[in-house]
Amino acid sequence: MKKQSAEHTKKIERVGQEYRAVMLKQNIPDDILRRVQFHDCTVTELLTGDEVVIRFDTRGGFTNINKVTLVAPEIIKQEGEIAGSYWLYQELYRIDNGYELHVLFGGEPTPELIVRCTDILAEEE
């Protein structure tokens, strides 16, 4: 078991290094990356239209920013009940005209949101 555990640990480390290398190549400014850090915040509202607006209860999270706006959105995937769930994990990618945000939320079943947008605005209301 120790040999198998060591092999798994090495594989996890390799995959983590590959992921970090890919993310660095994205060349996304740190201020944009910080705009989508809502781990453990509960989604109180999701509005879709000309913009996607997500509001949060931040008491369980690690930020005071309680509103994110995705400008000129194209919703690629929206599954599950997002309002009432909590933000678990995100990935942000650079695309030609902006960003593509992938978010996995906590809930049953696990809600998911993928949106392409030209900009990401974050604020404390």
Side-chain angles (χ1 to χ4, degrees), residues 49-114:
D50 292 340
E51 297 177 326
V52 169
V53 176
I54 307 171
R55 288 188 172 85
F56 301 95
D57 176 346
T58 61
R59 287 179 285 182
F62 303 93
T63 182
N64 290 325
I65 304 296
N66 60 359
K67 178 184 174 187
V68 66
T69 302
L70 307 176
V71 178
E74 175 188 354
I75 297 174
I76 306 300
K77 183 177 186 180
Q78 182 178 348
E79 288 184 355
E81 186 61 39
I82 294 172
S85 64
Y86 58 95
W87 187 292
L88 274 180
Y89 178 77
Q90 77 281 332
E91 293 178 358
L92 186 62
Y93 301 95
R94 172 79 76 178
I95 58 174
D96 290 338
N97 63 338
Y99 305 96
E100 184 171 297
L101 176 64
H102 297 226
V103 184
L104 185 63
F105 298 90
E108 284 296 324
T110 307
E112 189 175 352
L113 180 66
I114 300 174

